[in-house]
């Protein structure tokens, strides 16, 4: 199944063509990060434990591809994510189509699990406040979620510092819970990225998620966490 999905995605991307070319030669980046909690869709995935992660990615023309790996701080948990994204710009609209394959290591006493996700999204460029909509469908879970977001970025100190703020509203359709479709969570993130050297930057971000109807019906509540890390462009 995953091979079929990846083949379809690849053929669609090639059929659309190499519009929105960004670079004739590939560029690479390597990053490492730490999250005080591993939160996805407003759910603390590791019950309060921290997550260490690393990522290696490549950008060539309109294509992004990479490998991300995360592991629990004190709990026995590992997650591998191999992903590919095709980006396209039409006027003031940025669009993307992506595929990701996940492998989960849940510990010695648990079975290994996997999932595949197909994602797409639209955003408006050249605005001081960037509105966007993102859709994700997970094949093994058999559910999806839709996220509406507003993103603000402001450069300072001759572009060495970038201030960032993001407000996201997530709606669940069987992705987090089978029992309810609708308001999942509202999330606010505020952070900054500092360019230390030409090819090295560091970031820090604080986030808070307010549980929506879906999470409250599952007995889950609000959650706050901090993220920090470094990135090197190769």
């Amino acid at each position: 199944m995953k091979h079929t999905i990846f083949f379809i995605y690849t053929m669609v991307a090639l059929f659309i063509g190499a519009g929105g070319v960004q670079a004739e030669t590939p560029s690479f980046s390597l990053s490492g990060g730490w999250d005080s909690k591993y939160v996805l869709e407003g759910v603390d995935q590791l019950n309060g434990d921290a997550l260490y992660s690393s990522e290696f990615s490549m950008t060539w023309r309109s294509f992004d591809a990479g490998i991300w790996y995360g592991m629990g701080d004190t709990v026995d948990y590992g997650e591998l994510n191999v992903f590919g994204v095709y980006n396209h710009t039409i006027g003031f609209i940025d669009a993307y189509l992506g595929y990701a394959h996940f492998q989960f290591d849940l510990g010695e006493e648990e079975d290994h699990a996997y999932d595949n996700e197909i994602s797409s999204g639209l955003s408006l460029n050249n605005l001081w406040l960037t509105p966007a909509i993102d859709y994700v469908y997970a094949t093994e879970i058999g559910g999806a979620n839709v996220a509406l977001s507003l993103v603000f970025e402001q450069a300072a100190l001759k572009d060495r510092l970038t201030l960032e703020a993001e407000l996201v509203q997530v709606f669940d359709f069987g992705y987090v819970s089978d029992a309810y479709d609708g308001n999942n969570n509202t999330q606010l993130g505020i952070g900054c990225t500092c360019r230390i050297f030409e090819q090295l930057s560091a970031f820090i971000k604080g986030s808070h998620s307010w549980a929506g109807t879906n999470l409250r019906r599952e007995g889950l509540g609000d959650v706050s966490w901090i993220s920090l890390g470094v990135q090197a462009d190769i």
Side-chain angles (χ1 to χ4, degrees):
M1 178 65 178
K2 64 177 182 289
H3 299 97
T4 301
I5 294 172
F6 184 76
F7 176 77
I8 293 174
Y9 152 73
T10 303
M11 294 307 296
V12 169
L14 292 174
F15 178 78
I16 292 175
V21 170
Q22 308 225 342
E24 290 298 327
T25 59
S27 60
F28 303 89
S29 67
L30 180 64
S31 63
W34 175 85
D35 296 272
S36 61
K37 297 176 183 176
Y38 184 31
V39 180
L40 297 175
E41 286 75 42
V43 179
D44 184 355
Q45 303 291 323
L46 301 181
N47 297 318
D49 194 46
L51 182 86
Y52 291 95
S53 63
S54 61
E55 178 178 308
F56 177 76
S57 61
M58 178 194 73
T59 298
W60 180 70
R61 296 192 174 184
S62 298
F63 299 91
D64 298 325
I67 299 175
W68 179 94
Y69 182 77
M71 59 182 296
D73 183 12
T74 60
V75 301
D76 193 0
Y77 177 83
E79 179 181 331
L80 177 67
N81 174 7
V82 181
F83 61 89
V85 180
Y86 172 77
N87 305 284
H88 191 71
T89 298
I90 305 175
F92 59 90
I93 300 176
D94 294 328
Y96 74 88
L97 175 65
Y99 167 83
H101 176 70
F102 297 84
Q103 290 281 348
F104 306 98
D105 185 354
L106 307 177
E108 296 181 358
E109 298 180 357
E110 300 286 345
D111 292 334
H112 289 224
Y114 72 93
D115 207 340
N116 304 283
E117 289 186 354
I118 300 172
S119 59
S120 62
L122 298 172
S123 63
L124 303 182
N125 56 47
N126 297 323
L127 298 174
W128 70 275
L129 192 64
T130 303
I133 179 171
D134 298 277
Y135 172 85
V136 177
Y137 176 78
T139 62
E140 298 304 308
I141 296 175
N145 68 62
V146 175
L148 304 177
S149 62
L150 291 173
V151 179
F152 171 78
E153 291 187 357
Q154 179 62 54
L157 301 178
K158 297 182 179 180
D159 294 335
R160 296 190 68 89
L161 186 70
T162 302
L163 305 177
E164 306 153 349
E166 180 182 46
L167 180 64
V168 184
Q169 174 62 54
V170 180
F171 298 93
D172 180 59
F173 300 95
Y175 188 96
V176 178
S177 170
D178 293 329
Y180 174 78
D181 289 341
N183 178 20
N184 189 74
N185 70 298
T186 304
Q187 183 172 312
L188 174 66
I190 299 176
C192 66
T193 300
C194 178
R195 182 163 54 86
I196 303 172
F197 302 110
E198 187 64 29
Q199 294 179 306
L200 181 66
S201 60
F203 65 88
I204 183 171
K205 182 179 182 181
S207 302
H208 181 81
S209 172
W210 290 270
T213 306
N214 183 45
L215 296 185
R216 291 199 301 270
R217 290 188 177 185
E218 295 292 320
L220 301 173
D222 302 345
V223 58
S224 300
W225 70 100
I226 297 175
S227 306
L228 53 89
V230 294
Q231 175 175 313
D233 297 322
I234 305 172

